[in-house]
């Protein structure tokens, strides 16, 4: 909306969602909490390059504000297990909530490589094992790319049983 008057001119509709403009950088924070809701790790990642909604380049970042905001969100929703908390900076540079995705994120390999193996921790959690008090992570970067693998047609399209026609 360009201004308040344009917003007020919209028809009152229960489906209307209004949110403050968040023009700053976007972050995804991979969070895991134990059975008591205690956050074991919150690993912020940048989304340096995005293609069709998928982060194809990014890096983990140590940022106490991002980590603390994601932890506060996890506590507020009573998180047990894993979630991806998406944050974006507002006009004043503060981390603000965009959304919470209660699932493994697509860029999870970066978090695992940074030292927080969330899938293994989730298995431990659901097997009733105690999780560590806190897990540190390191700052690293990753680039995801599509690789074309060229093969001979016969290697892919011809069955091992080709030429053995059944009589009928």
């Amino acid at each position: 909306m360009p201004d308040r008057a344009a917003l007020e001119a919209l028809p009152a509709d229960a489906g209307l969602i209004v949110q403050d403009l968040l023009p700053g950088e976007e972050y995804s924070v991979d969070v895991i909490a134990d059975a008591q809701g205690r956050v074991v790790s919150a690993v912020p990642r940048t989304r340096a390059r995005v293609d069709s909604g998928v982060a194809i380049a990014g890096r983990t970042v140590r940022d106490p504000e991002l980590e603390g905001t994601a932890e506060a969100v996890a506590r507020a929703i009573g998180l047990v297990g894993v979630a991806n908390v998406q944050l974006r900076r507002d006009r004043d540079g503060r981390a603000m909530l965009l959304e919470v995705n209660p699932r493994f994120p697509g860029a999870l390999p970066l978090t695992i490589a940074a030292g927080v193996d969330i899938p293994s921790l989730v298995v431990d959690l659901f097997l009733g094992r105690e999780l560590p008090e806190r897990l540190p992570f390191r700052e690293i970067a990753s680039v995801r790319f599509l690789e074309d693998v060229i093969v001979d047609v016969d290697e892919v399209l011809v069955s091992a049983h080709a030429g053995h026609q059944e009589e009928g």
Side-chain angles (χ1 to χ4, degrees):
M1 300 271 96
D3 56 31
R4 185 176 188 92
L7 175 63
E8 290 174 353
L10 289 174
D13 181 328
L16 181 66
I17 297 175
V18 178
Q19 179 178 346
D20 191 21
L21 175 66
L22 301 174
E25 188 169 9
E26 183 177 339
Y27 299 89
S28 288
V29 185
D30 299 336
V31 180
I32 183 162
D34 67 12
Q36 290 72 45
R38 180 182 53 84
V39 173
V40 171
S41 189
V43 181
R45 293 181 283 103
T46 64
R47 294 169 49 92
R49 290 191 61 205
V50 178
D51 184 3
S52 303
V54 176
I56 58 171
R59 63 178 292 224
T60 56
V61 293
R62 283 197 192 100
D63 185 312
E65 181 190 13
L66 295 172
E67 293 170 48
T69 300
E71 287 183 33
V73 168
R75 283 192 303 275
I77 65 171
L79 178 68
V80 172
V82 64
N84 173 256
V85 178
Q86 291 189 302
L87 307 172
R88 193 171 195 126
R89 297 215 185 263
D90 68 7
R91 291 178 188 95
D92 297 322
R94 295 174 302 203
M96 304 298 285
L97 177 64
L98 275 180
E99 65 184 15
V100 177
N101 301 298
R103 59 173 169 75
F104 291 111
L108 187 57
L110 177 58
T111 298
I112 294 169
V116 180
D117 187 347
I118 287 180
S120 292
L121 292 165
V122 168
V123 169
D124 288 345
L125 175 66
F126 287 100
L127 289 176
R129 297 177 185 145
E130 191 170 325
L131 298 186
E133 183 71 27
R134 189 72 181 180
L135 284 170
F137 66 93
R138 48 192 193 109
E139 290 185 314
I140 58 173
S142 73
V143 177
R144 300 164 84 188
F145 59 94
L146 173 65
E147 179 181 345
D148 290 327
V149 177
I150 310 300
V151 296
D152 189 294
V153 173
D154 291 338
E155 293 177 28
V156 177
L157 300 179
V158 177
S159 166
H161 301 289
H164 300 277
Q165 296 181 357
E166 293 188 26
E167 296 180 23

